Amino acid sequence: MPTEKTSNQSRWPVFERELMGLIIKQKERNLKNRRIVCLEIAAIVLLVLSLLAIAGCSSQKASTTSSSSIPTTSAPAAQTTASAAKTIKIGYIGWLESGMGIDTLHSIQIMNDKDNQNGGITVGGEKYKVEVISYDSQNSQSTATAAANKLVFQDNVKFIMSDAFVEGGWLSITEANKVVVSGMSFGREDLLPTNNYTFCATSLNGSMVAGIGWFCKNNPDLIKNVAIAVPDNQMGHMSEKSAGPIWQKFGATPTWLYFPADSQDFSSLGTKVKDLNPSVFSAQTGSPATEGVAMKAAYQSGWKGTLYSNSSDPRAILTIYGADKTGLEGFISQVIPWEFDPAVTPAAVEYKTAWLAKFGKYEGEGGFGAMYSGLTAAIQQANSVDPDKVMAVVANGMKFEDPSGTYQMVNRPDMGNDRTVDSVSTLYMQKVVNGKITLYATIPVEEAVSYAKAIWVK
């Protein structure tokens, strides 16, 4: 079908913001029953306290604390004056009923455990334990804003991490109070030059750009005929407008194949791929399961070519193919270093071992803990807990290490921001060989940054 083309780079962040919101937005959970239970418990507690007072069982007046409607995974521990001086409190606002939200928290907990087991992080010549205070956003902007208020004004944190399930409507609170926010992405509001205390420490934005740039550079003969399948809905059209200019910038000629968003049968899509006969086929749906089914349909139609993905989880796609993985042979995609078996870097081995010991198995998206790595690295490199000094380090090209690789902070001139507030990381590319995920290429962070800078220009 005809598609709108654009070379206006200034519009790309808008499309990316809308696309991110469409991919991760889900219906807000109904917590009515939970609230009813909480009210019943509160009523019972009040009744017991009243009976104790009447009976004179205590000479002390019972103290009460106001209840909060913000679900939390752990209440902030009471601190003595002495211990508080040796503790840095960091908040986390995440949708803890989602796979990404809880896996991000798990990733943070793994690294937080390691820091505290080693005595904490060093700031100003002293060791500080790191206390993570997490609240469930429930994928609700109002609940996330309430959590931000609680973290800033009750928990007195100066540092917050956040996943991408709610837009940064509460950034006005953190900005006004000089609270540093290390996020996954707030639909890119965190990258605007008007925000002085927010940055994106994960490579969520940079990895797609760098991955496409690397693939195009190393496959110049294939990229002249690329087909990309997307659902025929708003998300699919935003996918084209977001990723299309990137492919074109690096010399590719993509054709966009739309399929009904509610498709259960992908045979017609497979026929389209076979008739078009592209050298490269990719699917961008936001769901590894759907992408795997689309790829399998192309193979079953008789098409033979190269499969590529910006983000698909290769483990999920291998599962979809079942015992016969012939159709996935040669499939190339980005991958996190501990998703190989065994993990391919010492840091990834250590991380995966700790994850399995704590949580029993790894099935999710633990690569977003870089928001913790980036934030604690900035505090240590600044040698201070002063938010202005911390952000000065971040905004001046900070580098930091995470179990998923080396990260480099970069500027976003396409958004009018010359401070380094976004990040790009080392990329690991996998290739399916004989039905198994194998390491195909390691892209150093410096090379990955060069691809991002080719796109994020004025």
Side-chain angles (χ1 to χ4, degrees), residues 9 12 216 243-252 451 453-455 457:
Q9 293 182 4
W12 295 354
C216 291
I246 300 174
W247 282 99
Q248 293 169 7
K249 175 69 175 181
F250 292 117
Y451 297 128
K453 285 187 175 180
I455 297 296
V457 295

Side-chain angles (χ1 to χ4, degrees), residues 75-376:
Q79 300 289 334
T80 63
T81 303
S83 65
K86 300 291 185 181
T87 300
I88 298 175
K89 294 191 287 187
I90 300 178
Y92 171 64
I93 303 173
W95 185 18
L96 301 183
E97 295 177 28
S98 71
M100 184 183 292
I102 193 63
D103 286 338
T104 299
L105 178 59
H106 284 172
S107 187
I108 290 167
Q109 289 171 334
I110 291 293
M111 289 181 282
N112 182 225
D113 287 347
K114 179 183 177 181
D115 282 342
N116 289 338
Q117 287 165 5
N118 291 332
I121 62 176
T122 303
V123 183
E126 295 185 293
K127 284 286 190 179
Y128 284 75
K129 291 292 185 74
V130 179
E131 177 189 357
V132 175
I133 305 169
S134 57
Y135 291 115
D136 186 353
S137 71
Q138 302 171 5
N139 195 27
S140 161
Q141 185 63 73
S142 60
T143 304
T145 300
N149 271 305
K150 192 171 191 301
L151 285 168
V152 173
F153 299 112
Q154 295 185 38
D155 300 320
N156 297 314
V157 305
K158 282 298 180 183
F159 307 99
I160 293 177
M161 303 170 291
S162 175
D163 67 18
F165 283 105
V166 291
E167 295 183 356
W170 45 267
L171 290 182
S172 58
I173 300 168
T174 53
E175 285 291 317
N177 291 278
K178 294 188 175 183
V179 175
V180 175
V181 177
S182 170
M184 184 184 299
S185 174
F186 294 106
R188 316 301 157 82
E189 283 115 342
D190 50 336
L191 305 181
L192 294 174
T194 51
N195 291 323
N196 296 310
Y197 296 94
T198 62
F199 68 102
C200 181
T202 73
S203 61
L204 189 65
N205 304 329
S207 60
M208 178 179 71
V209 174
I212 294 175
W214 171 86
F215 183 81
C216 291
K217 177 183 177 182
N218 289 276
N219 298 279
D221 296 332
L222 297 180
I223 61 174
K224 298 304 180 183
N225 189 4
V226 177
I228 305 173
V230 291
D232 192 5
N233 57 17
Q234 190 177 5
M235 190 204 78
H237 289 274
M238 289 298 104
S239 292
E240 179 183 353
K241 290 182 171 68
S242 175
I246 300 174
W247 282 99
Q248 293 169 7
K249 175 69 175 181
F250 292 117
T253 307
T255 299
W256 296 84
L257 303 178
Y258 286 85
F259 59 87
D262 58 352
S263 287
Q264 300 296 319
D265 182 356
F266 284 78
S267 58
S268 61
L269 174 63
T271 300
K272 287 183 181 179
V273 176
K274 183 177 183 296
D275 292 343
L276 184 63
N277 195 29
S279 301
V280 179
F281 175 62
S282 181
Q284 290 184 200
T285 69
S287 164
T290 305
E291 291 172 12
V293 172
M295 292 177 187
K296 190 172 183 178
Y299 166 70
Q300 290 176 334
S301 74
W303 170 80
K304 298 294 186 293
T306 300
L307 291 169
Y308 173 78
S309 174
N310 300 325
S311 59
S312 288
D313 182 345
R315 298 164 304 155
I317 293 178
L318 283 169
T319 300
I320 289 168
Y321 270 70
D324 182 8
K325 297 178 172 56
T326 307
L328 266 184
E329 193 68 14
F331 171 47
I332 299 171
S333 72
Q334 297 177 31
V335 68
I336 303 172
W338 55 76
E339 290 181 341
F340 295 96
D341 190 16
V344 295
T345 67
V349 169
E350 181 182 17
Y351 175 91
K352 189 172 184 178
T353 300
W355 182 291
L356 294 174
K358 190 176 182 72
F359 302 114
K361 59 181 178 179
Y362 175 82
E363 294 182 330
E365 305 178 45
F368 297 117
M371 63 178 68
Y372 176 91
S373 299
L375 184 55
T376 53

Side-chain angles (χ1 to χ4, degrees), residues 21-102:
L22 288 165
I23 291 175
I24 65 178
K25 277 289 186 183
Q26 299 186 43
K27 293 183 67 176
E28 181 178 357
R29 294 293 192 263
N30 186 343
L31 300 178
K32 179 179 179 181
N33 291 337
R34 186 184 301 177
R35 293 192 178 103
I36 291 173
V37 171
C38 290
L39 288 172
E40 291 173 345
I41 293 172
I44 293 171
V45 171
L46 290 173
L47 177 60
V48 172
L49 289 174
S50 299
L51 292 173
L52 288 174
I54 293 172
C57 294
S58 173
S59 60
Q60 299 293 327
K61 184 176 181 180
S63 62
T64 61
T65 58
S66 59
S67 61
S68 170
S69 61
I70 307 168
T72 176
T73 59
S74 60
Q79 300 289 334
T80 63
T81 303
S83 65
K86 300 291 185 181
T87 300
I88 298 175
K89 294 191 287 187
I90 300 178
Y92 171 64
I93 303 173
W95 185 18
L96 301 183
E97 295 177 28
S98 71
M100 184 183 292
I102 193 63

